């Protein structure tokens, strides 16, 4: 059975790792990298660390406006689909690479398998919300990470082909957390950050906040970014931020000053797991990182008005904050001692890759 899978952006590499390994035991995978992310530390590092197979095709699409980027991918993926004649095309998540793959497949009547189907923020201004709604509505297999996602699809009248497989990113965390500890324990993390990622400070475990910011809704308005970084200045501990290239560009263009903030280059996945598990709190607008903080029992403040990962809000483990100084400070400084960390059972049992493979292999049986 030949399946084409489309990847292109950082979180998709992390999702692809367990799926590719599992699927290749039973079927043929043709891996296509759109080139949406291309810096070494936004792409290559994940292939190396996670053992993701070398892509069969690299489209080299790069950055651009939504229409240009998606259009270029669509054109190139279509050519590959016509040549390879797969039985299905698998797409992950909600990026422009996801939508381009789904559209190319659907127009050629090639079944689309959507991993992370059914997530909704109910904010249609988000490019990700547009991508995931459109992808879900043209997919044949809707592989949901949670029961909430299954129910979201039901509300839109989609029940056929819907399967709760559990969350693929949970598989990746479970497979890599011990290795991450082995690599970075005993101060190696700090040495690594200083020698290879541009950290110029001494930090202690549990004595820093880990932040990531890249979401369009926070970066497209420099005023919002300024508010976020002004708030970081007022926190009681330093903030490490592996800076996404999108955010870096905007901070530089607007000369936004960073105080109490230690900027580093984007880090590899194993170091990121270590930093997440050992921070006192994650402060982020990332989708994936909210979940990883939850899996690793680190509290989180999410700098957004909505989250697709509503399970993480249980018991206040993750809390949302809109972008104003008082709200962010209130959420970050909230009392943590009363928390009981809920078990991540709502995200499956760490066997999502197996369940996704079985759903594809047994389709129509
Ligand atoms: C994309 C996804 C977003 C996802 C994020 C993961 C869409 C619409 N957005 O956002 O859902 O959460 O990836 O990180 O698909 N850049 C570089 N080097 C790179 C990649 C990007 O310099 O390797 C810079 C470019 O200036 C580019 C900008 O970052 O214009 C934004 O990149 P893009 O892929 O368009 O969107 P992301 O913000 O990364
Ligand atoms: N990540 C990483 N290095 C970093 C920042 C993030 O490995 O410097 C990982 C993070 O642990 C998670 C994924 O990238 O697994 C999340 O990707 P991102 O935040 O870019 O996208 P989103 O999940 O918001 O779509």
């Amino acid at each position: 059975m030949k399946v084409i899978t489309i990847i292109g952006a950082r979180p998709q590499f992390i999702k692809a790792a367990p799926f590719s390994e599992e699927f290749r035991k039973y079927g043929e995978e043709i891996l296509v990298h759109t080139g949406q992310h291309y810096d070494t530390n936004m792409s290559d590092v994940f292939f190396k660390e996670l053992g993701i197979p070398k892509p069969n095709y690299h489209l080299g699409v790069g950055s651009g406006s939504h229409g240009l980027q998606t259009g270029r991918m669509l054109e190139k993926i279509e050519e590959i689909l016509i040549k390879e004649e797969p039985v299905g095309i698998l797409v992950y998540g909600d990026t422009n690479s996801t939508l381009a793959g789904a559209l190319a497949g659907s127009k050629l009547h090639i079944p689309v398998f959507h991993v992370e189907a059914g997530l909704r923020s109910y904010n249609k201004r988000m490019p990700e919300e547009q991508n995931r709604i459109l992808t879900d509505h043209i997919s044949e297999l809707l592989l949901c990470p949670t029961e909430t996602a299954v129910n979201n699809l039901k509300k839109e009248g989609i029940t056929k082909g819907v399967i709760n497989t559990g969350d693929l990113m949970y598989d990746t965390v479970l497979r890599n957390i011990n290795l991450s500890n082995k690599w970075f324990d005993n101060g190696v993390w700090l040495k690594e950050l200083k020698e290879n990622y541009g950290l110029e400070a001494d930090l202690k475990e549990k004595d820093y906040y880990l932040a990531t910011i890249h979401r369009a809704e926070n970066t497209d308005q420099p005023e919002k970014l300024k508010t976020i970084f002004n708030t970081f200045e007022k926190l009681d501990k330093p903030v490490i931020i592996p800076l996404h290239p999108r955010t870096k560009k905007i901070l530089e263009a607007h000369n936004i000053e960073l105080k109490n903030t230690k900027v580093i280059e984007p880090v590899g996945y194993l170091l990121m797991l270590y930093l997440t598990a050992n921070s006192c709190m994650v402060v982020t607008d990332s989708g994936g990182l909210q979940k990883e903080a939850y899996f690793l029992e680190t509290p989180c403040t999410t700098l957004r008005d909505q989250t697709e990962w509503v399970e993480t809000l249980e018991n206040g483990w993750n809390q949302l904050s809109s972008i104003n100084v008082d709200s962010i400070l209130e959420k970050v400084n909230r009392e943590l001692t009363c928390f009981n960390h809920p078990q991540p059972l709502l995200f499956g049992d760490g066997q999502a890759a197996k369940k996704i493979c079985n759903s594809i292999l047994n389709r129509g049986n």
Side-chain angles (χ1 to χ4, degrees):
M1 174 186 271
K2 188 200 273 189
V3 168
I4 290 205
T5 53
I6 306 291
I7 53 178
R10 177 165 65 187
Q12 290 163 336
F13 309 137
I14 291 154
K15 291 163 202 169
F19 174 79
S20 289
E21 188 186 330
E22 188 63 26
F23 187 75
R24 285 170 187 236
K25 294 179 192 161
Y26 310 99
E28 184 187 357
E29 181 189 34
I30 304 288
L31 191 61
V32 178
H33 186 327
T34 62
Q36 176 167 354
H37 286 173
Y38 43 86
D39 291 348
T40 305
N41 54 7
M42 293 294 287
S43 175
D44 294 3
V45 63
F46 302 103
F47 284 80
K48 274 198 205 121
E49 279 190 358
L50 298 174
I52 304 166
K54 190 171 181 291
N56 300 74
Y57 295 89
H58 196 300
L59 309 184
V61 165
S63 305
S65 65
H66 288 285
L68 181 141
Q69 193 179 50
T70 314
R72 284 189 177 154
M73 292 174 190
L74 182 59
E75 190 180 346
K76 295 183 180 200
I77 295 170
E78 184 177 64
E79 277 172 26
I80 297 170
L81 290 176
I82 291 169
K83 181 171 156 222
E84 295 284 353
E85 299 182 338
V87 301
I89 175 165
L90 182 137
V91 295
Y92 299 95
D94 53 21
T95 72
N96 288 345
S97 300
T98 315
L99 179 62
L103 260 182
S106 174
K107 297 263 183 183
L108 291 170
H109 308 297
I110 294 171
V112 178
F113 312 143
H114 185 200
V115 173
E116 268 194 13
L119 295 181
R120 296 291 181 268
S121 65
Y122 296 103
N123 172 3
K124 279 201 182 147
R125 284 187 61 83
M126 286 179 74
E128 293 84 1
E129 184 80 351
Q130 299 169 8
N131 290 341
R132 53 174 98 96
I133 292 175
L134 293 167
T135 301
D136 281 342
H137 282 256
I138 53 176
S139 290
E140 192 158 304
L141 267 185
L142 296 106
L143 304 155
C144 297
T146 60
E147 209 47 40
T148 308
V150 171
N151 289 326
N152 290 342
L153 291 172
K154 208 178 278 170
K155 285 185 222 153
E156 292 171 25
I158 305 176
T159 51
K160 192 161 170 263
V162 176
I163 301 164
N164 183 351
T165 60
D167 186 74
L168 204 44
M169 283 184 115
Y170 187 38
D171 288 27
T172 316
V173 167
L174 293 179
R175 285 170 190 222
N176 289 285
I177 189 65
N178 289 340
L179 187 60
S180 159
N181 280 326
K182 197 169 142 197
W183 278 20
F184 295 111
D185 211 358
N186 294 322
V188 177
W189 66 284
L190 192 59
K191 193 163 168 273
E192 185 70 12
L193 288 181
K194 287 181 177 175
E195 286 178 5
N196 294 320
Y197 293 93
L199 180 73
E200 292 175 350
D202 270 317
L203 295 170
K204 287 196 207 106
E205 284 173 7
K206 297 287 173 194
D207 203 29
Y208 63 86
Y209 296 97
L210 175 67
T212 73
I213 310 290
H214 73 275
R215 197 69 51 201
E217 69 210 59
N218 286 334
T219 55
D220 283 356
Q221 292 159 270
E223 282 312 312
K224 276 193 163 184
L225 261 191
K226 271 188 202 158
T227 303
I228 292 170
F229 284 98
N230 283 342
T231 314
F232 287 174
E233 189 189 339
K234 298 180 196 303
L235 294 179
D236 57 326
K237 298 180 181 74
V239 181
I240 311 187
I241 179 161
L243 200 56
H244 191 289
R246 174 194 196 101
T247 316
K248 183 174 187 206
K249 237 174 48 181
I250 299 167
L251 288 174
E252 284 171 2
H254 295 272
N255 283 322
I256 298 175
E257 220 190 326
L258 309 185
K259 291 189 187 152
N260 193 36
T261 303
K262 314 292 175 204
V263 172
I264 54 173
E265 296 293 318
V267 299
Y269 180 72
L270 293 173
L271 184 49
M272 192 64 184
L273 282 187
Y274 195 88
L275 292 178
T276 304
N278 291 291
S279 66
C280 67
M281 179 182 277
V282 162
V283 182
T284 190
D285 59 11
S286 159
L289 189 57
Q290 282 175 63
K291 278 187 291 177
E292 286 162 353
Y294 179 85
F295 300 149
L296 297 171
E297 305 195 9
T298 298
C300 181
T301 300
T302 296
L303 301 183
R304 291 181 47 197
D305 292 323
Q306 316 88 14
T307 180
E308 301 77 29
W309 303 107
V310 289
E311 295 79 4
T312 62
L313 302 175
E314 210 179 287
N315 291 11
W317 200 257
N318 179 18
Q319 287 205 3
L320 302 176
S321 174
S322 51
I323 309 303
N324 76 67
V325 176
D326 292 341
S327 164
I328 301 174
L329 284 178
E330 185 196 321
K331 297 298 164 76
V332 174
N333 291 327
R334 68 188 185 262
E335 185 61 56
L336 296 172
T337 48
C338 61
F339 284 173
N340 280 325
H341 181 258
Q343 292 303 305
L345 295 175
L346 298 170
F347 290 88
D349 56 4
Q351 299 293 320
K354 268 205 174 74
K355 289 180 188 148
I356 292 169
C357 285
N358 287 339
S359 308
I360 294 170
L361 296 165
N362 300 327
R363 199 172 55 94
N365 286 354

